[in-house]
Structure formats: C-alpha cells, structure tokens
Amino acid sequence: KPTRGGAVEPESEEEIMTRAKCLHRLPARKRCDRAVCASLVLAVALLCTSAARGQECAWKLRGTAGGPTPRSGHAMVYDSHRSRIVLFGGFNGTARQGDTWEWDGRSWTLRTATGPSPRVLGPAMAYDSGRRCVVLFGGFDGQYRDDTWEWDGGAWSQVATSGPPARNGHALAFDAARGRDVLFGGGGGANDTWEWDGDTWTQVAIGGPPGRGGHGMAYDDARARTVVFGGRFGADYRTDTWEWDG
C-alpha cells in the first residue's frame, strides 16, 4: 500500500487473510479465475513487503561520542536475555583497556572498569544463553592469559584459572543445542578444541582444522554446528571452512 510520502507500506497478514476469505465466498465457477487473482494479490503483497524492508535495510551512524573511547582488538557479543550489546577491552594506540560497556540500541553505558585485566588481541567472548551470562577466555595483557570470566549483567566473576593453555587470537562460540561454549585455535598455530560447561573445561579434540589464529567462528543454530572460516598461521592465510558437530 503506498503512503502519502510515496513509500511502500507492506500489507499485514490480517489484510491478506481478509482478501482470501472474500475470495472463498465467491461461487465455485468464479473461484478458479479468482484463485489466479488471489495468487497475484499474494505475490504483490510479498513484493511490497520486500520493497519496504529493502528501504529500511541500511547502515546508519548512531553516534561518535559519549561511548567507549577509540579502540581496536576488543570483544563484543549480544546478551539476548537483557537485550544489550556487551563490549570489553581493546587497545587505544597507547594502552590496553579493561572497561565494560553496554549498548541498548540508543546509547552506551559504562558498566564497570573492574573485572578481567585490561587486555587485547583476542579476549574471546560468547554469550551463554543457557546460563544467561557472557563468557570470556584469554587474551593478552602483557602476557598471554588462561583465565575464564563470566559477566552476569552486573559484575564479572573469575570462574576458572585452568583449562586451555594461555593464548590469544582464538575464537569462542556457544553451542545452544548442547549447552557448551566451544573454543578453537589461537595465535602460534594452536589447533585444539575445548568446551566449557559452566564448571569445567574439557579438551574434546586435537586436530581437525590446521592450527590458526584470527579466524572467524560462529554457531549455526538451524543445523546445530559450529562453523570456522579462515584465519592464519604465520604468512599462511586460510580460505578453508570447517564444521564442529560436538
């Protein structure tokens, strides 16, 4: 449906169903022809919906001040229970950062400057939706770290000092089907896979993808797989894709 401004407004499901009910009341001999019209109505409605969504899908600058200081090498995840983006750490060009910020869709809020030591170069984080906390492992704060921390929305708690060897450049993803945080790789060519169940780290594999750091990793909820792509070891930049099924 066109609006006064000329933009396309998608029909609601209720409006589409009303059209379908009206067509259903027609005499049988007319339904066949009208069925064609109904298909066209549905197709146009879907096209209008797609067009409207296309107009809304774009990058928008939401702010350049009043939030975290300039930095790189930080970690960021989405807390689905509290509807907040959680950011930790990074490097501003002169010093490592140890502050925690949250974004609510409109503004940034500094939540705390205490917790894990200021670190950069891969403090890996994942949101554990089963236990409703952010999990952080490792990174570099002047030395490579092997500590595990959890953020519950109010404070950081150190929950383990043993598990995977100290590292940076690794990746962490939450396997929602099995309730495990999966860690793989790291700088220096690490190729071990570990899982965190909320109490203990368990090494579950050595091998699989060749050793690497700086790779991308995400959990595919629809297929219950953790997917790894790319990364590098030395001058060897990777283009391979791997999946972990647990």
Side-chain angles (χ1 to χ4, degrees), residues 140-220:
F140 181 78
D141 66 357
Q143 64 181 17
Y144 297 105
R145 306 296 301 187
D146 62 354
D147 48 351
T148 305
W149 294 75
E150 292 183 348
W151 170 255
D152 63 5
W156 284 102
S157 299
Q158 187 171 358
V159 293
T161 55
S162 61
R167 68 188 68 196
N168 72 324
H170 50 291
L172 190 67
F174 179 64
D175 181 329
R178 298 185 305 113
R180 298 289 188 272
D181 292 282
V182 181
L183 181 150
F184 172 74
N191 72 334
D192 47 348
T193 303
W194 293 74
E195 293 186 345
W196 170 254
D197 63 6
D199 293 309
T200 307
W201 283 103
T202 302
Q203 186 171 356
V204 292
I206 299 177
R212 67 193 67 196
H215 46 288
M217 191 167 82
Y219 179 69
D220 183 333

Side-chain angles (χ1 to χ4, degrees), residues 4-232:
R4 291 183 179 179
V8 179
E9 179 182 339
E11 286 190 310
S12 67
E13 291 185 8
E14 182 178 355
E15 290 171 321
I16 294 172
M17 290 302 296
T18 299
R19 289 177 183 269
K21 289 177 181 178
C22 290
L23 289 168
H24 182 70
R25 295 192 189 104
L26 290 172
R29 67 178 181 274
K30 294 184 179 180
R31 286 180 191 167
C32 184
D33 292 338
R34 291 301 186 183
V36 176
C37 294
S39 298
L40 291 174
V41 168
L42 180 59
V44 171
L46 292 173
L47 286 172
C48 289
T49 301
S50 298
R53 288 175 178 169
Q55 292 176 356
E56 296 173 356
C57 294
W59 285 102
K60 297 178 182 178
L61 178 62
R62 300 303 303 273
T64 57
T69 56
R71 67 189 67 198
S72 65
H74 47 286
M76 193 160 70
V77 296
Y78 178 63
D79 179 333
S80 58
H81 176 63
R82 297 187 306 111
S83 301
R84 296 290 188 274
I85 301 291
V86 181
L87 178 152
F88 171 79
F91 183 70
N92 67 4
T94 57
R96 291 178 287 272
Q97 306 298 299
D99 46 355
T100 302
W101 292 76
E102 291 187 344
W103 170 256
D104 63 5
R106 289 193 271 182
S107 62
W108 285 102
T109 301
L110 175 62
R111 297 304 311 277
T112 185
T114 61
S117 57
R119 60 188 72 185
V120 69
L121 298 175
M125 290 201 317
Y127 179 68
D128 185 327
S129 58
R131 296 184 302 112
R132 296 179 177 178
C133 64
V134 174
V135 179
L136 178 150
F137 177 83
F140 181 78
D141 66 357
Q143 64 181 17
Y144 297 105
R145 306 296 301 187
D146 62 354
D147 48 351
T148 305
W149 294 75
E150 292 183 348
W151 170 255
D152 63 5
W156 284 102
S157 299
Q158 187 171 358
V159 293
T161 55
S162 61
R167 68 188 68 196
N168 72 324
H170 50 291
L172 190 67
F174 179 64
D175 181 329
R178 298 185 305 113
R180 298 289 188 272
D181 292 282
V182 181
L183 181 150
F184 172 74
N191 72 334
D192 47 348
T193 303
W194 293 74
E195 293 186 345
W196 170 254
D197 63 6
D199 293 309
T200 307
W201 283 103
T202 302
Q203 186 171 356
V204 292
I206 299 177
R212 67 193 67 196
H215 46 288
M217 191 167 82
Y219 179 69
D220 183 333
D221 188 66
R223 297 185 306 113
R225 297 287 188 275
T226 297
V227 182
V228 166
F229 174 80
R232 74 181 181 95

